[in-house]
Each structure stands twice: as structure tokens, then as C-alpha cells.
Amino acid sequence: MPKGQHPVTFSDISENALSVLRRLNSKGYDAYLVGGCIRDKLMGKTPKDFDIATNATPEQIKACFRNCRLIGRRFRLAHIVFGKDIIEVATFRGHHGDVSENDEENKVQVKSRRGKDVEDVLAKQDQQGQLLRDNVFGTIDEDAERRDFTFNAMYFSAKDQSIIDFAHGIESIQNKKIELIGDPATRFREDPVRMIRAIRFSAKLGMSISDELGAQFKELGHLLANIPPARLFEEVLKLFISGSGVKTFQLLHKYGLFTHLFPQFAPMLVDDTCREMQLVMRVLKNTDERINNEQRVTPAFLYAAFLWYPVEERAQIVMNEAGISYHDAFNIAVGEVLHRQIQRIMIPKRFSIAIREIWQLQTRLPKRFGRRAFQTLSHPRFRAAYDFLLIRGEIEGGDLMELGEWWTEFQELEPEGRKVMLNKLRKESGPSKKRRFPRKKKSD
């Protein structure tokens, strides 16, 4: 599609991405914008991320840019760093030849940091067909065949501003239908994350999923357990922090993929009316609204919601089995539930600490006598815990709803008004029971 027959122009592309394209071209390499930025513009959306594909190898890319760093072992990529803006550059991928048939390893002699020749694995697959290493480089035609979806196999050239559409991606966009390149079973086995990427694109772009793809989700969803937890954390972020969290969750649940991401929570989602389902839908709806209003959100809040009822259930089991207090059982349950979850999806420490604090404050919010209410109010995680309490109160009602209303009023008052509320609460609860000790008898 030559210039003028498509809507993509230089004004739609970031200056940093354009400078990378032009530098690679000036050094004699072919370089193209590829994937999502082109797809989004053709669908009338504003492109945000600009990825580049080139025939230059990672080492050749690094030689062109002082601000370049090479990352990854499974997929070697170059990141061109412009402050907070990072332009990702990938070398055209090639075919693996007989690696998929014999589970062999392609190797190449490369220089180590010490200057010695060592063997580096270029491509490797496991017995299930999943790509463990994918650094076989090829031509642009081969790279297009290696792309996942047809609308991601479109390349924009900065030389003449044309778009090359290798796999009829335009038709996929016009028909609003997710189309996979190649045999679905083979491509999903190569990289199971493609299944949840299909879900994300369907929810985000309003595109339909064929019955053939849906059947593969249910048959091959268990392969998500083979994906490194760190990679799944990044992919799950894209699922739920995109402004289409509700639709995304509904699709994940429909096709049975949610259970492979949150195996402790999914069995609790028995129907649309259960409190667990209501909590997820309420939290995701609020998250979507905040994102679409350009307000901040934190993954910690979502994980706290997804794992709250498993923590409650586990705490009750531990308390009954071990005969310990609910407080101790609750702390044990928090540790166990988080430990099991990070076996599937890694949760960085900065978020796991926040999750723990949101949960622990749920047990502190009912304790309001003396100075406890003021201490809780000044806690850095109070606002998130309070919001979580309100959502729980809306779903479960009763004492939780009354407690949420109390904290709402308490925050809005001046210090004197807060003291009045605490005095009223103390009177309503009756006189405190003081522990009485027997008097010692006076010696004769």
C-alpha cells in the first residue's frame, strides 16, 4: 500500500522511532515499523508503542547506537533508550528447519565477554513444541510468517512511507476477526501466551474469536503453566490494565483460561451471582473507569481482589485444623496463598507488600477504639484498603457496609468531630470489661 493509500504518516510516529528507522537505513540496513502501531492507526486509534523489525543482527544494531542495550535469551532484542522512552528493535526471525521435528539445538560460535569462542544456542523446542529459544534470523518474508496474528504482519517503511501487508491483515481488521497465521495448535504450542494475547486483542479491539480458536484455548490452556512466572506477570498486566478488564475477564472465564492464571480463585467462581464473581466484576469495572479517565491504578489492588477469598477460606481451614487464633491463621494463610500464586505468576515485592498491607488493614479497620482509628487512618495504604472495604461492603452488606459508611464519615470530619464519633461508638458498644485480679490478703 503506497503512501496516500493508507492513513499512517510521519506525524503519527514518535520522533525517537523515526530517528531509529533513519539511522538503520542510513547504515545500509532495512528497517520497518511493525505490528501494533500500524494496526492501531488503521483501526482509528492513536499508536502508543513503536516496535521496529530489521535485517540487522542485535550486535549490528548495538554498533549503530550508543544508547542501545541487548536483552533476553529466549528472544534477543535491542532496546534503544531515550530517557523513559524505549524503542524495541527485533531482528527478522527465520524458520527453525528440523529443530521442531528432532528437538535438536542450532548452535553458533560467538565471542564470550572474555573473548573466547563459545557455543550459543539459537533455537530450541521442548517435547510439547514450545519454543525455548528463538534466535534464528531470516528475511522479512520469513519474519512475517513467524508473526502471530495477521494484523501484526504489516510493515511500514520510512523510505517511501509504504505499508507491506503480508497476511491480509487489512481484511482481518475490516472483518473484526482474530486471524492466526499458520496452524492454531502448532502456533499455540510454540508459544502458549498467544492464547491470552488473542483474548486481549479481542477485548481491546472488539474483534471476534472463531470457534476453532476457542476450541484450542480449552484444549491447550494447560500449557500456560509452562510459561515463566515473570513473563506471565507482564502479560497479565496487559490483560487487566488496558481499560478493557471486564471484557477481558469474561473472555478468559468463558474459554477456561482464567483457571490457569489464578488456580486458587477460579474454582470459587461458580456462577454470576456468587460474591466472588461480583467482587471481580466490581473491581475490574472500577479499574476500567479509572484507566479510561486517566487515573492511576495499581496491580496490587487487582491481585488483592483476586486472592482475597482464597485467603479467607484458607484462614478458616488453618484455624480449625491447628486450633489457633484467627489472627495467626490469617497471617499463615496470606503467606501460603501468595506463595502458591507466585508459582504461576510472579508478583514483584513492591506489589506483594502492598497486597499484604491491604489485606491486613481489612482486619484492622473494624478496630477503632482509642488511638487505633487515627493510626489506621494515617497508614500509607489506608485509601486502597478503604476502597477495598467499600467494595466488599457493597457485595456482602451487613456489618461490612456499616463499617464502610462509618469510615467514610470519619474521614470527612475535623479532629473534634472524629472524637465525637469515637465517643459515640464507645457508648454504643457498652462499658469495657476490665480484667479483675483477686485482692491479696494482708498478712497478720
Side-chain angles (χ1 to χ4, degrees):
M1 293 179 287
K3 176 184 177 181
Q5 293 187 20
H6 61 79
V8 183
T9 63
F10 284 156
S11 62
D12 302 310
I13 305 170
S14 76
E15 286 296 325
N16 292 332
L18 275 176
S19 70
V20 172
L21 288 170
R22 289 166 175 162
R23 171 72 64 85
L24 288 170
N25 287 335
S26 69
K27 296 293 184 179
Y29 301 111
D30 295 329
Y32 302 84
L33 281 180
V34 63
C37 55
I38 302 172
R39 177 201 66 224
D40 288 348
K41 184 61 181 177
L42 293 175
M43 297 189 74
K45 301 178 182 294
T46 302
K48 294 181 180 179
D49 298 320
F50 298 91
D51 296 334
I52 293 173
T54 178
N55 62 348
T57 65
E59 289 74 17
Q60 290 170 334
I61 298 168
K62 186 172 178 62
C64 294
F65 300 92
R66 288 185 298 176
N67 56 331
C68 173
R69 64 187 184 202
L70 302 183
I71 66 165
R73 284 176 57 83
R74 180 172 175 271
F75 297 109
R76 294 190 71 200
L77 298 169
H79 278 182
I80 316 300
V81 183
F82 300 88
K84 293 183 178 180
D85 187 21
I86 296 176
I87 305 300
E88 187 172 279
V89 185
T91 305
F92 294 147
R93 304 292 170 187
H95 295 303
H96 289 199
D98 61 354
V99 174
S100 61
E101 298 176 8
N102 302 320
D103 191 25
E104 297 176 353
E105 297 178 357
N106 286 350
K107 298 181 179 179
V108 66
Q109 293 288 336
V110 298
K111 294 286 185 181
S112 69
R113 290 183 179 179
R114 298 180 180 180
K116 297 179 180 180
D117 287 340
V118 297
E119 284 190 331
D120 186 33
V121 178
L122 293 183
K124 185 179 180 182
Q125 286 180 287
D126 64 15
Q127 294 179 349
Q128 294 176 319
Q130 182 177 335
L131 293 177
L132 304 178
R133 194 72 60 85
D134 185 15
N135 291 307
V136 177
F137 303 136
T139 64
I140 187 173
D141 301 76
E142 292 173 320
D143 188 74
E145 291 178 6
R146 295 292 313 282
R147 297 277 158 180
D148 48 11
F149 304 104
T150 57
F151 50 60
N152 284 339
M154 293 188 286
Y155 299 71
F156 173 87
S157 171
K159 292 180 180 179
D160 57 11
Q161 300 186 55
S162 65
I163 289 179
I164 309 173
D165 179 5
F166 281 91
H168 306 290
I170 288 289
E171 293 180 14
S172 176
I173 290 173
Q174 291 172 344
N175 297 331
K176 290 199 167 185
K177 186 176 181 181
I178 302 287
E179 297 282 359
L180 198 69
I181 298 174
D183 174 58
T186 301
R187 303 311 304 278
F188 288 149
R189 287 185 183 278
E190 286 179 350
D191 186 3
V193 166
R194 287 171 178 154
M195 289 184 280
I196 57 178
R197 280 170 58 82
I199 295 290
R200 176 161 63 89
F201 289 137
S202 176
K204 175 185 175 183
L205 305 174
M207 304 181 79
S208 64
I209 295 174
S210 68
D211 293 339
E212 181 186 11
L213 290 188
Q216 293 297 327
F217 294 162
K218 294 179 180 180
E219 182 178 343
L220 302 177
H222 66 279
L223 295 177
L224 287 169
N226 300 333
I227 301 300
R231 186 181 177 207
L232 270 187
F233 174 75
E234 296 297 332
E235 293 297 335
V236 169
L237 273 190
K238 296 174 186 176
L239 287 174
F240 297 115
I241 311 292
S242 63
S244 306
V246 170
K247 181 63 175 176
T248 299
F249 167 75
Q250 290 172 333
L251 290 171
L252 288 171
H253 186 57
K254 173 184 177 181
Y255 291 109
L257 295 178
F258 189 78
T259 189
H260 301 295
L261 300 175
F262 295 91
Q264 298 176 90
F265 182 47
M268 296 181 172
L269 303 172
V270 292
D271 57 52
D272 292 342
T273 61
C274 68
R275 63 176 189 171
E276 292 83 1
M277 183 68 79
Q278 292 183 55
L279 179 69
V280 171
M281 296 299 288
R282 196 71 57 92
V283 167
L284 288 174
K285 181 180 178 182
N286 290 354
T287 301
D288 287 347
E289 289 175 353
R290 291 184 64 85
I291 292 171
N292 294 325
N293 290 328
E294 298 184 351
Q295 295 175 288
R296 292 180 59 186
V297 298
T298 172
F301 196 86
L302 285 177
Y303 279 88
F306 289 159
L307 299 174
W308 169 251
Y309 286 122
V311 167
E312 273 201 331
E313 182 182 81
R314 184 59 188 158
Q316 288 293 336
I317 293 173
V318 171
M319 184 175 67
N320 294 334
E321 290 180 348
I324 59 179
S325 68
Y326 181 78
H327 177 269
D328 292 338
F330 181 82
N331 288 331
I332 292 172
V334 166
E336 289 184 357
V337 169
L338 282 177
H339 177 73
R340 290 173 185 167
Q341 183 60 43
I342 63 176
Q343 305 305 307
R344 186 60 52 88
I345 302 174
M346 184 200 73
I347 304 176
K349 192 172 182 179
R350 66 185 184 277
F351 296 130
S352 64
I353 290 174
I355 293 167
R356 287 175 181 269
E357 290 177 339
I358 290 171
W359 286 342
Q360 288 165 351
L361 281 170
Q362 300 307 299
T363 65
R364 286 177 53 180
L365 285 167
K367 302 172 182 177
R368 296 160 285 172
F369 296 111
R371 300 175 62 182
R372 286 185 174 180
F374 294 101
Q375 292 171 345
T376 300
L377 187 61
S378 63
H379 194 285
R381 211 68 65 184
F382 169 79
R383 184 68 200 189
Y386 162 73
D387 289 341
F388 190 50
L389 173 68
L390 289 184
I391 294 174
R392 291 175 58 213
E394 291 175 8
I395 294 167
E396 299 182 34
D399 294 340
L400 277 180
M401 179 175 284
E402 292 181 7
L403 182 62
E405 293 171 351
W406 188 93
W407 277 107
T408 299
E409 184 179 355
F410 188 75
Q411 293 175 76
E412 295 173 351
L413 295 175
E414 298 296 327
E416 288 301 319
R418 292 173 180 173
K419 291 180 181 179
V420 171
M421 282 189 68
L422 291 173
N423 288 333
K424 181 180 177 182
L425 182 67
R426 191 177 297 109
K427 291 178 182 179
E428 290 175 350
S429 63
S432 60
K433 295 181 180 179
K434 294 184 178 181
R435 186 176 177 184
R436 295 182 178 275
F437 295 92
R439 293 182 179 180
K440 293 183 179 180
K441 294 183 179 180
K442 292 184 179 180
S443 57
D444 295 334

